[in-house]
Amino acid sequence: MDTPDPTVPEQGEPSGEATQPTELLGSHPGETDAAAPAAAPAPAALPTDPAAPSPARRLRLIIAAAVAFVLLGSGAVWAGTASGGTAEPVALAAPTASATPTPTPTPDAPELRPAPAVATVASPLRTCSVADLAADSRLGEFQAQVVNAETGEILFDRGGSTASRAASVLKVLTSAAALSVLGPDYRATTTVVAGSEPGQVVLVGGGDLTLSSTPTGDESFYGGAAHLDALAEQTRAAMGDTAITSVVLDSSYFGDPGWEPSWDRKEQTDGYMPLITALQVDGDRDNPYNSTSARSDDPVARAGAAFADELGGVSVSLGTAPAGASPLASVQSQPVSTLIQQSLIVSDNAIAEMLGRLVAVEGGAGNNFGAIQPAVLAGLAEYGIDTAGIRIADGSGLSDNNAVPPAYLTKLFQKINAREGSLGVIFDGLPVAGGSSGSLSYSDRFSGANADADGAVFAKTGWIDTGYTLSGIINAGDGSTLTFAVYALGDVGDNAKQAIDTITTGFFRCGNNLSNN
C-alpha cells in the first residue's frame, strides 16, 4: 500500500482557500480608498501560536505541494539550488514493480450424468403368482392383462397388446360408443305416417328391435318396450273417420344385408341372432318372452303382419314413406342407458346390433355393417384411448373378424370403474359373479372354490365357437381394484369358462401383490 503525502490534506481537513492572507484579497496595509465606504469594524484578533508559520508561508507550502503533486504525476521533479544555480533534472526512483501473480488454474467442472426426464418410482416386489393357472391347457391360446385401476400399473400381461377376437366382450365397446354418439337418453322411434293413397298408412321402422307384439301391460323379454297395439290405437285415432285400408312397411333406415356374412347361420336358427332390420318386433323371436328363441327369415314381414292384425286385417306391402308425409303416430324404445344394461346382463345380440347400427346412422357413417367400424371408433375417440389394431365387423362380437387387444379393455374399464362421463351406465349393466341374474349367475360360473370371488367380479362374458372371453373389474381381496381381460381362444371347449373363472379368482386373491412371473 502506498504511503500518503503529508502535505496533502486528508479528507475533512480545511483547504488552503479558507486561510488566504489579506494581501491576496486586493488591498495593502496603509492604503485607503476614499470612494469606498467605511470599513466594517475588524473582528477581534484570535490568539496565534508563535511557532506556527505565517499565512504567507503556509500559502507557499501549499503551492509547492501542488506543484510537486503535478510533477510526480508526470514522472519527474525539477529541483533548483537556493543560490539560483542551473536546475538539472533529477530522475525519480522508479517504483518497484510487483511480480505478476500466477493465475490459479480453474479446475474442470465434473461431467454431469444425464438425469431421467421422469423420476423413477420403485415398484413393490410382488410375490403372488398365477403362473400355474395361466398354464391350464383349457385356456387354449391364452391372452390376458391385469391392471391396478387406481395407478394404471400393469400387474400381469400375456399378449395384452395383441388384437384378437373378443366375442361378446365387444358389446362393451359398442355400448361405450353409443353413450358417446347417441347419449344415454336417446330413444329409437317407430312412426306411422300417411300414405300416398286415401286410407293408406306407412309403418316406418326407426331401428327399434325391441318393439313388441305383446299386448300393452304384458311385458315381453324386453321389459318396458314399446307396443304395437298402442301404435295402432294412435293411428286409428289420427285417421278419424277415414278407414284404414292398407299398410306400407318402410324399413329403409337400415341398409342391406341384414346378415353379416361371417356369422354362422345356426345362430339364427338356434335363437341367438335375428336378421338386422330397422323394422321388427321382439328381436324377431318366435317366442317373445324367451331370451333364446328361433328367429325368422323375414323380420319385416313378421312385424307388418302383427301391425295389420292390430288394425283389423288390412293389406300389407313393402315400400317407403312419401317425402314430407304427415305423421300420425309414434312410440319410442327405452333410453340407450336401459338398452345397454339389457344387452350386457344377458349378452343380448339383437340390442347390441341395434345400438351399433344406430351409432353408424346417427354418426353419419352409413347404415350397413361396413359403417359400424368407423362410426364406433369415432365414438370411442372421446375416451382418449388408442384404438390402433381394433377391428369391428359387427356390434355384438359374434364375428371372428372382430379384434380387440386386452390392453384396450383394461384401459376402458379403468374409465368405466371411475364412471367417467356416462360410462357408469356400463358398470351398472355388468353381470356379477354369484349375482342373482345375468350371465355370471349361472351354476357353472364361479362355483366351488371360485365362489371366493362372488360379488367381487363385475365383468362381461363372451363366447363364440372359437373362444371364450371375460373382461371387467375386480374388487380384490386386499382392497385394491383391478381391471382385467382374459381370452381363451382356438380349439377350446365349454370347460374354458371354468379355467377363466379360476384364473380370475386367482387375480382376486392376489390383488395388488399379483406377480407377472
Side-chain angles (χ1 to χ4, degrees):
M1 156 173 203
D2 295 336
T3 303
D5 188 334
T7 63
V8 179
E10 297 204 14
Q11 185 177 5
E13 183 180 344
S15 68
E17 286 184 341
T19 56
Q20 287 183 1
T22 305
E23 60 187 289
L24 295 179
L25 301 179
S27 62
H28 298 278
E31 286 188 4
T32 301
D33 188 350
L46 295 175
T48 59
D49 183 354
S54 66
R57 172 70 175 170
R58 288 167 57 193
L59 179 60
R60 285 194 294 273
L61 289 174
I62 292 170
I63 294 172
V67 171
F69 179 82
V70 172
L71 292 177
L72 282 172
S74 63
V77 175
W78 291 85
T81 62
S83 59
T86 303
E88 294 182 359
V90 177
L92 292 176
T96 302
S98 61
T100 302
T102 302
T104 303
T106 303
D108 292 337
E111 183 178 353
L112 299 178
R113 294 184 179 183
V118 179
T120 301
V121 179
S123 297
L125 179 62
R126 295 181 168 90
T127 58
C128 189
S129 175
V130 294
D132 56 337
L133 305 180
D136 191 330
S137 62
R138 294 177 297 172
L139 292 172
E141 299 165 16
F142 174 64
Q143 290 179 240
Q145 188 177 89
V146 182
V147 167
N148 182 305
E150 283 87 10
T151 67
E153 185 176 2
I154 298 173
L155 306 181
F156 182 87
D157 188 276
R158 297 292 185 275
S161 61
T162 300
S164 301
R165 52 199 179 278
S168 285
V169 170
L170 185 81
K171 291 179 173 71
V172 175
L173 276 66
T174 305
S175 299
L179 290 168
S180 170
V181 175
L182 305 175
D185 300 325
Y186 176 93
R187 296 171 184 261
T189 304
T190 306
T191 59
V192 177
V193 300
S196 58
E197 301 174 4
Q200 185 183 76
V201 297
V202 183
L203 176 61
V204 182
D208 181 10
L209 278 64
T210 70
L211 177 68
S212 184
S213 62
T214 64
T216 297
D218 182 12
E219 293 296 300
S220 69
F221 174 71
Y222 297 125
H227 292 266
L228 269 181
D229 61 354
L231 189 63
E233 184 178 349
Q234 290 182 44
T235 303
R236 283 193 297 267
M239 292 290 285
D241 295 334
T242 302
I244 300 173
T245 57
S246 65
V247 175
V248 175
L249 307 177
D250 183 349
S251 63
S252 61
Y253 195 58
F254 290 171
D256 291 329
W259 191 260
E260 214 288 322
S262 64
W263 293 346
D264 190 329
R265 278 287 178 177
K266 73 181 181 65
E267 302 296 338
Q268 178 187 4
T269 56
D270 287 352
Y272 295 105
M273 179 73 81
L275 274 72
I276 307 306
T277 57
L279 176 62
Q280 63 181 264
V281 291
D282 305 308
D284 195 40
R285 289 170 172 84
D286 286 351
N287 185 334
Y289 304 101
N290 289 352
S291 173
T292 304
S293 177
R295 319 296 168 111
S296 77
D297 290 328
D298 195 345
V300 177
R302 191 200 293 265
F307 189 59
D309 287 346
E310 294 293 343
L311 293 176
V314 298
S315 65
V316 178
S317 62
L318 300 178
T320 56
S326 301
L328 301 173
S330 66
V331 291
Q332 292 187 312
S333 71
Q334 291 274 50
V336 161
S337 57
T338 300
L339 295 172
I340 285 173
Q341 293 174 8
Q342 290 178 334
S343 174
L344 295 179
I345 191 68
V346 295
S347 203
D348 186 78
N349 291 320
I351 293 180
E353 294 300 335
M354 166 185 171
L355 292 174
R357 194 67 65 93
L358 288 172
V359 166
V361 173
E362 297 296 329
N367 68 353
N368 57 20
F369 281 108
I372 294 177
Q373 164 141 338
V376 168
L377 293 184
L380 294 175
E382 175 180 317
Y383 305 112
I385 307 172
D386 186 5
T387 56
I390 292 179
R391 297 193 306 275
I392 299 176
D394 56 32
S396 62
L398 186 60
S399 174
D400 279 351
N401 295 332
N402 292 304
V404 181
Y408 183 87
L409 289 163
T410 58
K411 291 183 178 68
L412 181 59
F413 271 110
Q414 281 183 267
K415 294 179 179 291
I416 292 170
N417 179 65
R419 295 182 173 270
E420 289 189 16
S422 299
L423 290 176
V425 168
I426 295 176
F427 195 127
D428 295 337
L430 293 173
V432 182
S436 59
S437 64
S439 58
L440 285 182
S441 68
Y442 307 148
S443 60
D444 63 345
R445 300 307 301 258
F446 288 91
S447 57
N450 293 335
D452 286 356
D454 279 356
V457 178
F458 304 79
K460 180 69 195 77
T461 56
W463 166 54
I464 52 178
D465 288 342
T466 57
Y468 288 81
T469 57
L470 186 69
S471 183
I473 298 161
I474 302 171
N475 290 333
D478 65 354
S480 62
T481 301
L482 313 177
T483 62
F484 76 102
V486 178
Y487 295 2
L489 305 177
D491 186 14
V492 293
D494 188 68
N495 58 7
K497 292 183 294 184
Q498 287 74 50
I500 288 175
D501 294 352
T502 299
I503 195 169
T504 301
T505 302
F507 301 153
F508 162 79
R509 291 176 180 141
C510 288
N512 194 51
N513 193 34
L514 176 63
S515 167
N516 196 36
N517 296 328

